[in-house]
Amino acid sequence: MNESQDARYQKWEEKTRRLLEKSPERKERFETLSGIEVKRLYNRGKSVEEMDEQVGLPGEYPYTRGIHPTMYRSRYWTMRQYAGFGSAAETNKRFRYLLEQGQTGLSVAFDLPTQIGYDSDDPMALGEVGKVGVAIDSLKDMEKLFEDIPLDQVSTSMTINAPAAVLLAMYIAVAEKQGVQPHQIRGTIQNDILKEYIARGTYIFPPQPSMRLITDIFAYCAEHVPKWNTISISGYHIREAGSTAVQEVAFTLANGIAYVEAAIAAGLHVDQFAPRLSFFFNAHNHFFEEIAKFRAARRLWAKIMKERFRASNERSLQLRFHTQTGGSTLTAQQPDNNIVRVTLQALAAVLGGTQSLHTNARDEALALPTEESARIALRTQQIIAYESGVADTVDPLGGSYYIEELTDAIEREALRYIEKIDEMGGAVQAVEQGFMQREIHRVALETQRKIEAGTEIVVGVNRFCIENEVQPQIMRMDPELAKRQMEELRQVRANRDQEEVKSKLARLKRAAEGTDNLMPHILEAVKSYATVGEICNALREVFGEYQPV
């Protein structure tokens, strides 16, 4: 800084000090949700050359400014609303409605029994059939779910983890029945089991066999389903469990490292599978921190893939991610306020360079969204895209002193966590030791205490409340749904070739006891109309079930 600049800065400081004597700042310390101090003024103190080397150009390593040179000037992000409830037929109607409203991709929510590998008539499924997503028991349900939806013309994201191989096999089988070949279908399965142990809980098998299933999917899709994203490494649920933005980046990328290492150990070359890795992040309330978080995650992953794994394919270095607005930030009180929260969060995701986006509906803290609230959520994205102008230039906030320093700080703090996890032996070992779980619980408790004390304000909850609030109309599930689902499942079992099912499940068990890739065996079982529960039980007999720390 030269003398004239120095003098100007000192003059500014003196003027600011006098103003603060008359009107003090609201807090002694301003900080992000991760505890990173927010300074009054940002001046990176770096030359243009240094900043260019660190930040780079859009579409070029280290991808701080985005993975594509023109980002949304060429093509908007995919507007992918999450949907799934009740039966496959009901969800199919919602899918077709959303596509008619301008949605450009499908995203499937499965009910809890499906997520943990139980059929709808299993005692463990009692009271949960079709409640938080669509019930899928067999290939027959999957056929109904995608009836009249051409699978060569849409991309589909499926939020499924422990039984991901089973649901992917069903999707492949439905496509084939439509005359669509596996190499033509596009989409993503979440398939991220490590975050289930850390934050969400819909696991089935212990970590090691779960990692085998994941790498089997990597290998199978690399050969047969090349346009499919074989994993969506999820920070979303880590953040929903109460983590900070820094922890979300650190733990998500640490899990990503573990998946890459497992695939390499299984004999795959990094550039064979890494281009199809994708990520899934939360868009939370602190607007600028969220933008910086996405930029930091993109840059840190590029460095990890280049320096640690020596990836040479450019696409192996690029962190492609889906974003969903923060479900945990939605309030049952004054639910219309959630429209504003979702708008800010969605805007942060777009300014951070997301590849696809789901916007939560205003009533999701109360129930599954109504058609009207789902439409408002979709319109939120469309207004941002078509009316705001934020998609007209690449990385609009790039070069902002505040954004660039926040990006550096999040990268730096996330790297410290990753190095600590490395010292433990990696993410699998850190999960088994309960490290990430404890770290999330600690900050979640701190946040809850702040909300209860009123030092962290949630509008409509602990400030600006309304007495005698009138609740909106919410979506209610048909109480007869479970009975109908179980009757349809009974008919599937009655009409299939029982000997063929028994033979396919026996072959799957033998393969699980050995080292064969399990995907072809799961696909054959699915085509015989073996159920999700039957396939998962066959694997349970070999792999056992995970018992949490």
Side-chain angles (χ1 to χ4, degrees):
M1 188 181 286
N2 60 38
E3 283 189 29
S4 62
Q5 289 174 316
D6 196 29
R8 192 160 58 239
Y9 184 80
Q10 287 179 4
K11 187 176 180 180
W12 178 87
E13 284 271 43
E14 179 60 23
K15 180 180 179 181
T16 303
R17 186 186 62 77
R18 289 196 302 270
L19 285 171
L20 288 174
E21 288 175 355
K22 297 177 181 178
S23 181
E25 292 179 336
R26 288 181 289 109
K27 300 177 184 179
E28 288 186 6
R29 174 186 169 91
F30 287 79
E31 60 182 33
T32 72
L33 298 180
S34 291
I36 296 170
E37 183 181 4
V38 178
K39 299 177 184 178
R40 185 179 301 127
L41 177 68
Y42 284 86
N43 189 334
R44 291 171 63 86
K46 293 183 178 180
S47 69
V48 172
E49 291 78 14
E50 288 173 323
M51 199 161 91
D52 283 348
E53 185 178 346
Q54 176 73 346
V55 177
L57 294 169
E60 293 187 11
Y61 182 86
Y63 305 104
T64 311
R65 309 202 66 187
I67 63 170
H68 301 300
T70 59
M71 287 303 289
Y72 309 130
R73 286 172 67 95
S74 300
R75 178 178 172 273
Y76 287 122
W77 60 93
T78 301
M79 299 178 195
R80 190 190 300 279
Q81 292 299 108
Y82 191 46
F85 57 92
S87 69
E90 287 178 281
T91 302
N92 175 265
K93 290 178 186 175
R94 176 64 65 87
F95 281 164
R96 287 189 279 127
Y97 170 79
L98 289 169
L99 290 170
E100 289 166 3
Q101 294 299 312
Q103 181 171 301
T104 53
L106 299 175
S107 187
V108 188
F110 297 96
D111 73 353
L112 190 57
T114 305
Q115 291 183 50
I116 51 178
Y118 292 111
D119 291 332
S120 294
D121 60 355
D122 192 291
M124 291 292 288
L126 185 64
E128 292 294 340
V129 176
K131 286 289 180 66
V132 299
V134 61
I136 299 293
D137 291 316
S138 74
L139 180 58
K140 183 67 70 177
D141 291 318
M142 205 67 143
E143 291 166 0
K144 292 178 183 176
L145 184 63
F146 293 103
E147 188 175 356
D148 297 325
I149 297 174
L151 297 189
D152 57 343
Q153 295 178 31
V154 299
S155 72
T156 303
S157 172
M158 296 191 285
T159 303
I160 195 71
N161 295 283
V166 183
L167 276 299
L168 174 58
M170 288 183 176
Y171 193 85
I172 293 169
V174 170
E176 289 179 348
K177 282 177 173 283
Q178 290 186 3
V180 178
Q181 296 306 305
H183 70 268
Q184 295 176 280
I185 61 175
R186 295 175 296 115
T188 304
I189 44 169
Q190 195 163 98
N191 197 27
D192 174 10
I193 200 62
L194 291 177
K195 68 94 174 53
E196 296 297 327
Y197 305 125
I198 296 167
R200 192 160 174 263
T202 62
Y203 43 70
I204 302 175
F205 315 113
Q208 294 303 332
S210 294
M211 296 295 277
R212 174 188 171 184
L213 282 166
I214 289 168
T215 56
D216 280 356
I217 291 170
F218 287 179
Y220 183 86
C221 288
E223 183 176 353
H224 301 285
V225 200
K227 295 179 182 177
W228 195 266
N229 297 319
T230 50
I231 193 167
S232 178
I233 305 163
S234 176
Y236 183 85
H237 303 95
I238 290 169
R239 192 67 179 277
E240 289 291 278
S243 81
T244 66
V246 165
Q247 289 174 333
E248 182 185 358
V249 171
F251 298 164
T252 305
L253 299 195
N255 289 347
I257 290 167
Y259 294 129
V260 173
E261 289 175 340
I264 291 171
L268 299 176
H269 186 275
V270 64
D271 288 322
Q272 182 182 357
F273 64 88
R276 300 315 303 180
L277 302 180
S278 65
F279 290 79
F280 176 24
F281 288 113
N282 198 300
H284 216 270
N285 276 339
H286 196 290
F287 185 69
F288 292 114
E289 181 176 44
E290 293 303 292
I291 297 166
K293 176 188 78 179
F294 299 129
R295 299 170 90 251
R298 197 160 42 231
R299 184 163 73 204
L300 187 50
W301 184 248
K303 292 178 180 178
I304 287 167
M305 293 304 290
K306 184 175 183 179
E307 297 169 10
R308 185 186 291 221
F309 295 112
R310 300 288 185 259
S312 57
N313 185 332
E314 187 178 74
R315 287 180 58 80
S316 298
L317 310 178
Q318 295 174 349
L319 183 145
R320 296 169 299 115
F321 67 97
H322 171 70
T323 308
Q324 181 174 338
T325 56
S328 62
T329 69
L330 303 180
T331 63
Q333 300 90 333
Q334 301 178 39
D336 283 351
N337 293 346
N338 294 328
I339 298 173
V340 182
R341 293 185 178 102
V342 166
T343 302
L344 286 169
Q345 294 164 5
L347 185 57
V350 171
L351 291 171
T354 192
Q355 274 63 68
S356 67
L357 178 61
H358 165 84
T359 35
N360 289 327
R362 61 183 173 179
D363 51 2
E364 287 191 58
L366 298 165
L368 290 169
T370 62
E371 274 196 2
E372 180 189 11
S373 61
R375 185 175 63 248
I376 292 170
L378 178 58
R379 293 289 183 261
T380 300
Q381 294 200 50
Q382 291 165 336
I383 289 168
I384 290 172
Y386 295 98
E387 298 185 23
S388 72
V390 298
D392 294 349
T393 188
V394 180
D395 190 28
L397 296 181
S400 155
Y401 291 125
Y402 183 30
I403 289 293
E404 296 300 351
E405 191 153 331
L406 261 182
T407 301
D408 290 351
I410 292 172
E411 180 183 14
R412 183 172 60 249
E413 296 302 316
L415 188 56
R416 286 179 185 170
Y417 263 121
I418 290 170
E419 288 169 349
K420 190 167 187 176
I421 291 167
D422 283 343
E423 290 171 4
M424 295 178 180
V428 174
Q429 288 75 14
V431 165
E432 290 174 341
Q433 295 174 38
F435 168 69
M436 291 182 268
Q437 297 93 310
R438 288 193 302 273
E439 286 293 291
I440 294 169
H441 294 165
R442 176 179 59 79
V443 297
L445 180 59
E446 289 174 6
T447 300
Q448 186 59 35
R449 284 174 172 163
K450 289 176 182 177
I451 292 170
E452 291 175 3
T455 56
E456 186 167 311
I457 294 168
V458 182
V459 173
V461 175
N462 61 3
R463 187 79 67 87
F464 315 114
C465 303
I466 297 174
E467 291 185 19
N468 304 318
E469 195 175 332
V470 178
Q471 292 294 342
Q473 290 290 322
I474 62 173
M475 183 173 172
R476 301 192 182 278
M477 299 304 301
D478 181 351
E480 298 298 311
L481 165 72
K483 289 181 182 177
R484 289 200 301 272
Q485 184 69 20
M486 285 189 278
E487 174 57 25
E488 289 176 8
L489 175 57
R490 188 194 66 76
Q491 291 177 14
V492 167
R493 289 198 179 115
N495 294 328
R496 67 189 184 181
D497 185 330
Q498 306 297 351
E499 289 304 314
E500 182 185 12
V501 171
K502 192 181 298 184
S503 170
K504 302 298 186 189
L505 291 174
R507 289 182 188 177
L508 174 61
K509 278 185 66 177
R510 286 196 297 273
E513 290 164 350
T515 59
D516 286 358
N517 188 308
L518 297 178
M519 272 300 296
H521 300 282
I522 292 171
L523 184 57
E524 288 303 308
V526 159
K527 288 178 178 179
S528 73
Y529 289 87
T531 67
V532 170
E534 290 165 342
I535 294 169
C536 289
N537 284 339
L539 295 175
R540 280 184 177 99
E541 291 178 25
V542 179
F543 297 152
E545 289 189 332
Y546 174 69
Q547 299 301 319
V549 176

Coordinates of all heavy atoms in Angstrom, one line a residue, residues 119-190:
D119 N -39.7 -54.3 2.7 CA -40.9 -54.3 1.9 C -42.1 -53.6 2.7 O -42.0 -53.6 4.0 CB -41.3 -55.7 1.5 CG -40.3 -56.2 0.4 OD1 -39.7 -55.4 -0.3 OD2 -40.2 -57.5 0.4
S120 N -43.1 -53.2 2.0 CA -44.2 -52.5 2.7 C -45.0 -53.4 3.7 O -45.6 -52.9 4.6 CB -45.2 -51.9 1.7 OG -44.5 -51.0 0.9
D121 N -44.9 -54.7 3.5 CA -45.6 -55.6 4.5 C -44.7 -56.1 5.6 O -45.2 -57.0 6.4 CB -46.3 -56.8 3.7 CG -45.2 -57.6 2.9 OD1 -44.0 -57.2 2.9 OD2 -45.7 -58.6 2.3
D122 N -43.5 -55.6 5.7 CA -42.6 -56.0 6.7 C -43.1 -55.3 8.0 O -43.5 -54.2 8.0 CB -41.2 -55.6 6.4 CG -40.2 -56.2 7.3 OD1 -40.1 -55.9 8.5 OD2 -39.4 -57.1 6.9
P123 N -43.0 -56.0 9.2 CA -43.4 -55.4 10.4 C -42.6 -54.1 10.7 O -43.1 -53.1 11.3 CB -43.1 -56.4 11.5 CG -43.2 -57.7 10.8 CD -42.7 -57.4 9.4
M124 N -41.4 -54.0 10.2 CA -40.6 -52.8 10.4 C -41.1 -51.6 9.7 O -40.7 -50.5 9.9 CB -39.1 -53.1 10.0 CG -38.4 -54.0 10.9 SD -38.1 -53.4 12.5 CE -36.8 -52.2 12.1
A125 N -42.0 -51.8 8.7 CA -42.5 -50.8 7.8 C -43.8 -50.2 8.4 O -44.3 -49.2 7.8 CB -42.7 -51.3 6.4
L126 N -44.3 -50.7 9.5 CA -45.6 -50.3 10.0 C -45.7 -48.8 10.3 O -44.8 -48.3 11.0 CB -45.9 -51.1 11.3 CG -47.3 -50.9 11.9 CD1 -48.4 -51.4 11.0 CD2 -47.4 -51.6 13.3
G127 N -46.7 -48.2 9.7 CA -46.9 -46.8 9.9 C -46.0 -45.8 9.1 O -46.1 -44.6 9.2
E128 N -45.1 -46.4 8.2 CA -44.2 -45.5 7.5 C -44.4 -45.6 6.0 O -43.7 -45.0 5.2 CB -42.8 -45.9 7.9 CG -42.4 -45.5 9.3 CD -42.4 -44.0 9.5 OE1 -42.3 -43.2 8.5 OE2 -42.5 -43.6 10.7
V129 N -45.3 -46.5 5.5 CA -45.4 -46.7 4.1 C -45.9 -45.5 3.4 O -47.0 -44.9 3.7 CB -46.4 -47.9 3.8 CG1 -46.6 -48.1 2.3 CG2 -45.8 -49.2 4.4
G130 N -45.1 -45.0 2.4 CA -45.5 -43.8 1.6 C -45.5 -42.5 2.3 O -46.0 -41.5 1.8
K131 N -45.0 -42.4 3.5 CA -45.1 -41.2 4.3 C -44.1 -40.1 3.9 O -44.5 -39.0 3.7 CB -44.9 -41.5 5.8 CG -46.1 -42.3 6.5 CD -47.3 -41.4 6.6 CE -48.5 -42.1 7.2 NZ -48.2 -42.5 8.7
V132 N -42.9 -40.4 3.8 CA -41.9 -39.4 3.5 C -41.4 -39.5 2.0 O -40.4 -38.8 1.7 CB -40.7 -39.4 4.5 CG1 -41.2 -39.1 5.9 CG2 -39.9 -40.7 4.4
G133 N -42.0 -40.4 1.3 CA -41.6 -40.6 -0.1 C -42.4 -41.7 -0.7 O -43.3 -42.2 -0.1
V134 N -42.1 -42.1 -1.9 CA -42.8 -43.1 -2.6 C -42.4 -44.5 -2.2 O -41.2 -44.8 -1.9 CB -42.7 -42.9 -4.1 CG1 -41.3 -43.1 -4.6 CG2 -43.6 -43.9 -4.9
A135 N -43.4 -45.4 -2.0 CA -43.1 -46.8 -1.6 C -42.8 -47.6 -2.9 O -43.6 -47.6 -3.8 CB -44.3 -47.4 -0.9
I136 N -41.6 -48.2 -2.9 CA -41.2 -49.0 -4.0 C -40.8 -50.4 -3.5 O -39.9 -50.5 -2.7 CB -40.0 -48.4 -4.8 CG1 -40.3 -47.1 -5.3 CG2 -39.5 -49.4 -5.8 CD1 -41.3 -47.1 -6.5
D137 N -41.6 -51.4 -3.8 CA -41.3 -52.8 -3.4 C -40.7 -53.6 -4.5 O -39.9 -54.4 -4.2 CB -42.6 -53.4 -2.9 CG -43.2 -52.8 -1.6 OD1 -42.3 -52.5 -0.7 OD2 -44.4 -52.5 -1.5
S138 N -41.2 -53.4 -5.7 CA -40.7 -54.3 -6.8 C -40.6 -53.5 -8.1 O -41.0 -52.3 -8.1 CB -41.6 -55.5 -7.0 OG -42.8 -55.1 -7.6
L139 N -40.1 -54.2 -9.1 CA -40.0 -53.6 -10.4 C -41.4 -53.1 -10.9 O -41.5 -52.1 -11.6 CB -39.5 -54.6 -11.4 CG -39.3 -54.1 -12.9 CD1 -38.4 -52.9 -13.0 CD2 -38.7 -55.3 -13.7
K140 N -42.5 -53.7 -10.5 CA -43.8 -53.3 -10.9 C -44.1 -51.8 -10.4 O -44.6 -51.0 -11.2 CB -44.9 -54.2 -10.3 CG -46.3 -53.9 -10.7 CD -46.5 -54.2 -12.2 CE -46.5 -55.6 -12.5 NZ -46.8 -55.9 -13.9
D141 N -43.6 -51.5 -9.2 CA -43.8 -50.1 -8.7 C -43.0 -49.1 -9.5 O -43.4 -48.0 -9.8 CB -43.4 -50.0 -7.2 CG -44.4 -50.8 -6.3 OD1 -45.6 -50.7 -6.5 OD2 -43.9 -51.4 -5.4
M142 N -41.8 -49.5 -9.9 CA -40.9 -48.7 -10.6 C -41.5 -48.4 -12.0 O -41.4 -47.3 -12.6 CB -39.5 -49.2 -10.7 CG -38.4 -48.2 -10.9 SD -38.2 -47.1 -9.5 CE -36.5 -46.9 -9.5
E143 N -42.1 -49.4 -12.6 CA -42.8 -49.3 -13.9 C -43.9 -48.2 -13.8 O -44.0 -47.4 -14.7 CB -43.3 -50.6 -14.4 CG -42.3 -51.6 -14.7 CD -42.8 -53.1 -14.9 OE1 -44.0 -53.3 -14.7 OE2 -42.0 -54.0 -15.1
K144 N -44.7 -48.3 -12.7 CA -45.8 -47.3 -12.6 C -45.2 -45.9 -12.3 O -45.8 -44.9 -12.8 CB -46.6 -47.7 -11.4 CG -47.5 -49.0 -11.6 CD -48.2 -49.3 -10.3 CE -49.0 -50.6 -10.5 NZ -49.7 -51.0 -9.2
L145 N -44.1 -45.8 -11.6 CA -43.5 -44.5 -11.2 C -43.1 -43.7 -12.5 O -43.3 -42.5 -12.5 CB -42.3 -44.7 -10.3 CG -41.6 -43.5 -9.8 CD1 -42.5 -42.7 -8.9 CD2 -40.3 -43.9 -9.0
F146 N -42.6 -44.4 -13.5 CA -42.1 -43.7 -14.7 C -43.0 -44.0 -15.9 O -42.6 -43.8 -17.1 CB -40.7 -44.1 -15.0 CG -39.7 -43.6 -13.9 CD1 -39.2 -44.5 -12.9 CD2 -39.4 -42.3 -13.9 CE1 -38.4 -44.0 -11.9 CE2 -38.6 -41.8 -12.9 CZ -38.1 -42.7 -11.9
E147 N -44.2 -44.4 -15.7 CA -45.2 -44.6 -16.8 C -45.4 -43.3 -17.6 O -45.6 -42.2 -17.0 CB -46.5 -45.1 -16.3 CG -47.5 -45.5 -17.4 CD -48.7 -46.2 -16.8 OE1 -48.8 -46.3 -15.5 OE2 -49.6 -46.5 -17.6
D148 N -45.3 -43.4 -18.9 CA -45.5 -42.3 -19.8 C -44.4 -41.2 -19.6 O -44.6 -40.0 -20.1 CB -46.9 -41.6 -19.7 CG -48.0 -42.6 -20.1 OD1 -47.7 -43.4 -21.0 OD2 -49.0 -42.6 -19.4
I149 N -43.3 -41.5 -19.0 CA -42.2 -40.6 -18.9 C -41.0 -41.2 -19.6 O -40.4 -42.2 -19.2 CB -41.8 -40.3 -17.4 CG1 -43.0 -39.6 -16.7 CG2 -40.5 -39.4 -17.3 CD1 -42.7 -39.5 -15.2
P150 N -40.6 -40.7 -20.8 CA -39.5 -41.3 -21.6 C -38.2 -41.1 -20.9 O -37.7 -40.0 -20.8 CB -39.6 -40.5 -22.9 CG -40.3 -39.2 -22.6 CD -41.2 -39.5 -21.5
L151 N -37.6 -42.2 -20.6 CA -36.3 -42.1 -19.8 C -35.1 -41.7 -20.6 O -34.0 -41.5 -20.0 CB -36.1 -43.4 -19.0 CG -37.2 -43.7 -18.0 CD1 -36.8 -44.9 -17.2 CD2 -37.5 -42.6 -17.1
D152 N -35.3 -41.6 -21.9 CA -34.1 -41.1 -22.7 C -34.2 -39.6 -22.9 O -33.3 -39.0 -23.5 CB -34.1 -41.8 -24.1 CG -35.4 -41.6 -24.9 OD1 -36.5 -41.3 -24.2 OD2 -35.4 -41.9 -26.1
Q153 N -35.3 -39.0 -22.3 CA -35.4 -37.5 -22.5 C -35.4 -36.7 -21.2 O -35.4 -35.5 -21.2 CB -36.8 -37.3 -23.2 CG -36.9 -37.8 -24.6 CD -38.2 -37.6 -25.3 OE1 -38.9 -36.6 -25.0 NE2 -38.6 -38.5 -26.2
V154 N -35.4 -37.4 -20.1 CA -35.2 -36.7 -18.8 C -34.0 -37.3 -18.0 O -33.6 -38.4 -18.3 CB -36.5 -36.9 -17.9 CG1 -37.7 -36.3 -18.6 CG2 -36.7 -38.3 -17.5
S155 N -33.5 -36.5 -17.1 CA -32.5 -37.0 -16.2 C -33.2 -37.2 -14.8 O -34.0 -36.3 -14.5 CB -31.3 -36.1 -16.1 OG -31.6 -34.9 -15.4
T156 N -32.8 -38.2 -14.1 CA -33.5 -38.5 -12.9 C -32.5 -38.7 -11.7 O -31.5 -39.4 -11.9 CB -34.3 -39.8 -13.0 OG1 -35.2 -39.7 -14.1 CG2 -35.0 -40.2 -11.7
S157 N -32.8 -38.0 -10.7 CA -32.0 -38.1 -9.4 C -32.7 -38.9 -8.4 O -33.9 -38.7 -8.2 CB -31.6 -36.7 -8.9 OG -31.0 -36.9 -7.6
M158 N -32.1 -39.9 -7.8 CA -32.8 -40.8 -6.8 C -32.0 -40.7 -5.5 O -30.8 -41.0 -5.4 CB -32.8 -42.2 -7.3 CG -33.7 -42.4 -8.6 SD -34.0 -44.1 -9.0 CE -32.4 -44.6 -9.7
T159 N -32.7 -40.2 -4.5 CA -32.1 -40.1 -3.1 C -32.3 -41.4 -2.4 O -33.2 -41.7 -1.7 CB -32.8 -39.0 -2.3 OG1 -32.7 -37.7 -3.1 CG2 -32.1 -38.8 -1.0
I160 N -31.3 -42.3 -2.7 CA -31.3 -43.6 -2.1 C -29.8 -44.0 -1.9 O -29.0 -43.7 -2.7 CB -32.0 -44.6 -3.1 CG1 -32.3 -45.9 -2.4 CG2 -31.2 -44.8 -4.4 CD1 -33.4 -45.8 -1.4
N161 N -29.6 -44.7 -0.8 CA -28.2 -44.9 -0.4 C -27.9 -46.4 -0.1 O -27.4 -47.1 -1.0 CB -27.9 -44.1 0.9 CG -27.9 -42.6 0.5 OD1 -27.0 -42.1 0.0 ND2 -29.0 -41.9 0.9
A162 N -28.4 -47.0 1.0 CA -28.0 -48.4 1.3 C -28.5 -49.3 0.2 O -27.7 -50.2 -0.2 CB -28.6 -48.8 2.7
P163 N -29.7 -49.2 -0.3 CA -30.2 -50.1 -1.4 C -30.0 -49.4 -2.7 O -30.8 -49.7 -3.7 CB -31.6 -50.4 -1.0 CG -32.1 -49.2 -0.2 CD -30.9 -48.5 0.3
A164 N -29.1 -48.5 -2.9 CA -28.9 -47.8 -4.2 C -28.8 -48.7 -5.4 O -29.3 -48.5 -6.4 CB -27.7 -46.8 -4.1
A165 N -28.0 -49.8 -5.2 CA -27.8 -50.7 -6.3 C -29.1 -51.3 -6.8 O -29.3 -51.5 -8.0 CB -26.8 -51.8 -5.9
V166 N -30.0 -51.6 -5.9 CA -31.3 -52.2 -6.2 C -32.2 -51.2 -7.0 O -32.8 -51.6 -8.0 CB -32.0 -52.7 -4.9 CG1 -33.3 -53.4 -5.3 CG2 -31.1 -53.6 -4.1
L167 N -32.3 -50.0 -6.5 CA -33.1 -49.0 -7.2 C -32.5 -48.6 -8.5 O -33.3 -48.4 -9.5 CB -33.3 -47.8 -6.3 CG -34.5 -47.9 -5.2 CD1 -35.8 -48.1 -5.9 CD2 -34.2 -49.0 -4.2
L168 N -31.2 -48.5 -8.7 CA -30.6 -48.3 -10.0 C -30.9 -49.4 -10.9 O -31.2 -49.2 -12.1 CB -29.1 -48.1 -9.8 CG -28.3 -47.9 -11.1 CD1 -28.8 -46.7 -11.9 CD2 -26.8 -47.8 -10.8
A169 N -30.8 -50.7 -10.4 CA -31.1 -51.8 -11.3 C -32.6 -51.7 -11.8 O -32.8 -52.0 -12.9 CB -30.9 -53.1 -10.5
M170 N -33.5 -51.3 -10.9 CA -34.9 -51.2 -11.3 C -35.0 -50.1 -12.4 O -35.8 -50.3 -13.3 CB -35.7 -50.8 -10.1 CG -35.9 -52.0 -9.1 SD -37.0 -51.5 -7.8 CE -37.2 -53.1 -6.9
Y171 N -34.3 -49.0 -12.3 CA -34.4 -47.9 -13.2 C -33.9 -48.4 -14.6 O -34.5 -48.1 -15.6 CB -33.6 -46.7 -12.8 CG -33.8 -45.5 -13.5 CD1 -34.9 -44.6 -13.2 CD2 -33.0 -45.1 -14.6 CE1 -35.1 -43.4 -13.9 CE2 -33.2 -43.9 -15.3 CZ -34.3 -43.1 -14.9 OH -34.5 -41.9 -15.6
I172 N -32.8 -49.1 -14.6 CA -32.2 -49.7 -15.8 C -33.2 -50.6 -16.5 O -33.4 -50.6 -17.7 CB -30.9 -50.4 -15.5 CG1 -29.8 -49.4 -15.1 CG2 -30.4 -51.2 -16.8 CD1 -28.5 -50.1 -14.5
A173 N -33.9 -51.5 -15.6 CA -34.8 -52.5 -16.2 C -36.1 -51.8 -16.8 O -36.6 -52.2 -17.8 CB -35.2 -53.4 -15.0
V174 N -36.5 -50.7 -16.1 CA -37.7 -49.9 -16.6 C -37.3 -49.3 -18.0 O -38.1 -49.3 -18.9 CB -38.2 -48.9 -15.6 CG1 -39.2 -47.9 -16.3 CG2 -38.8 -49.5 -14.4
A175 N -36.1 -48.7 -18.0 CA -35.7 -48.1 -19.3 C -35.6 -49.1 -20.4 O -36.1 -48.9 -21.5 CB -34.3 -47.5 -19.1
E176 N -35.1 -50.3 -20.1 CA -35.0 -51.4 -21.2 C -36.4 -51.8 -21.6 O -36.7 -52.0 -22.8 CB -34.3 -52.6 -20.6 CG -32.8 -52.3 -20.5 CD -32.0 -53.5 -19.9 OE1 -32.7 -54.5 -19.4 OE2 -30.8 -53.5 -19.9
K177 N -37.4 -51.8 -20.7 CA -38.8 -52.1 -21.1 C -39.4 -51.0 -22.0 O -40.3 -51.3 -22.8 CB -39.6 -52.3 -19.8 CG -39.5 -53.6 -19.1 CD -40.3 -53.7 -17.9 CE -40.2 -55.1 -17.3 NZ -41.1 -56.1 -18.0
Q178 N -38.9 -49.8 -21.8 CA -39.3 -48.7 -22.7 C -38.5 -48.7 -24.1 O -38.8 -47.9 -24.9 CB -39.1 -47.4 -22.0 CG -39.9 -47.0 -20.9 CD -39.7 -45.6 -20.4 OE1 -39.0 -44.8 -20.9 NE2 -40.4 -45.2 -19.3
G179 N -37.5 -49.6 -24.2 CA -36.7 -49.6 -25.4 C -35.5 -48.7 -25.3 O -34.9 -48.4 -26.3
V180 N -35.2 -48.2 -24.1 CA -34.1 -47.3 -23.9 C -32.9 -48.1 -23.4 O -33.1 -48.8 -22.4 CB -34.5 -46.1 -22.9 CG1 -33.3 -45.2 -22.7 CG2 -35.7 -45.3 -23.4
Q181 N -31.8 -48.0 -24.0 CA -30.6 -48.7 -23.6 C -29.9 -48.1 -22.4 O -30.0 -46.8 -22.3 CB -29.7 -48.9 -24.8 CG -30.2 -49.7 -26.0 CD -30.8 -51.0 -25.5 OE1 -30.0 -51.8 -24.9 NE2 -32.0 -51.3 -25.8
P182 N -29.2 -48.9 -21.6 CA -28.5 -48.3 -20.5 C -27.6 -47.1 -20.8 O -27.5 -46.2 -20.0 CB -27.7 -49.5 -19.9 CG -28.5 -50.7 -20.3 CD -29.1 -50.3 -21.7
H183 N -26.9 -47.2 -22.0 CA -26.0 -46.1 -22.3 C -26.7 -44.8 -22.6 O -26.1 -43.7 -22.7 CB -25.1 -46.5 -23.4 CG -25.8 -46.6 -24.8 ND1 -26.3 -47.8 -25.2 CD2 -26.0 -45.7 -25.7 CE1 -26.9 -47.6 -26.4 NE2 -26.7 -46.3 -26.7
Q184 N -28.1 -44.8 -22.7 CA -28.8 -43.6 -23.1 C -29.4 -42.9 -21.8 O -29.7 -41.7 -21.9 CB -30.0 -44.0 -24.0 CG -29.6 -44.5 -25.4 CD -30.8 -44.9 -26.1 OE1 -31.4 -46.0 -26.0 NE2 -31.3 -44.0 -27.0
I185 N -29.5 -43.6 -20.7 CA -30.1 -42.9 -19.6 C -29.1 -42.0 -18.8 O -27.9 -42.2 -18.8 CB -30.7 -44.0 -18.6 CG1 -29.6 -44.9 -18.0 CG2 -31.8 -44.8 -19.3 CD1 -30.2 -45.9 -17.0
R186 N -29.7 -40.9 -18.2 CA -29.0 -39.9 -17.5 C -29.6 -39.7 -16.1 O -30.8 -39.7 -16.0 CB -28.9 -38.6 -18.3 CG -28.3 -38.7 -19.6 CD -28.4 -37.3 -20.4 NE -29.8 -37.0 -20.7 CZ -30.5 -36.0 -20.2 NH1 -29.9 -35.2 -19.4 NH2 -31.7 -35.8 -20.6
G187 N -28.7 -39.5 -15.2 CA -29.2 -39.2 -13.8 C -28.2 -39.5 -12.8 O -27.0 -39.6 -13.1
T188 N -28.7 -39.6 -11.5 CA -27.8 -39.7 -10.4 C -28.4 -40.5 -9.3 O -29.6 -40.4 -9.1 CB -27.5 -38.3 -9.8 OG1 -27.0 -37.4 -10.8 CG2 -26.5 -38.3 -8.6
I189 N -27.6 -41.4 -8.7 CA -28.1 -42.0 -7.4 C -27.2 -41.4 -6.3 O -26.0 -41.2 -6.5 CB -28.0 -43.5 -7.4 CG1 -26.7 -44.0 -8.0 CG2 -29.2 -44.2 -8.0 CD1 -26.4 -45.5 -7.8
Q190 N -27.8 -41.2 -5.2 CA -27.1 -40.6 -4.1 C -25.9 -41.5 -3.7 O -24.8 -41.2 -3.6 CB -28.0 -40.2 -2.9 CG -27.3 -39.3 -1.9 CD -28.2 -38.6 -1.0 OE1 -28.4 -39.0 0.1 NE2 -28.8 -37.5 -1.5

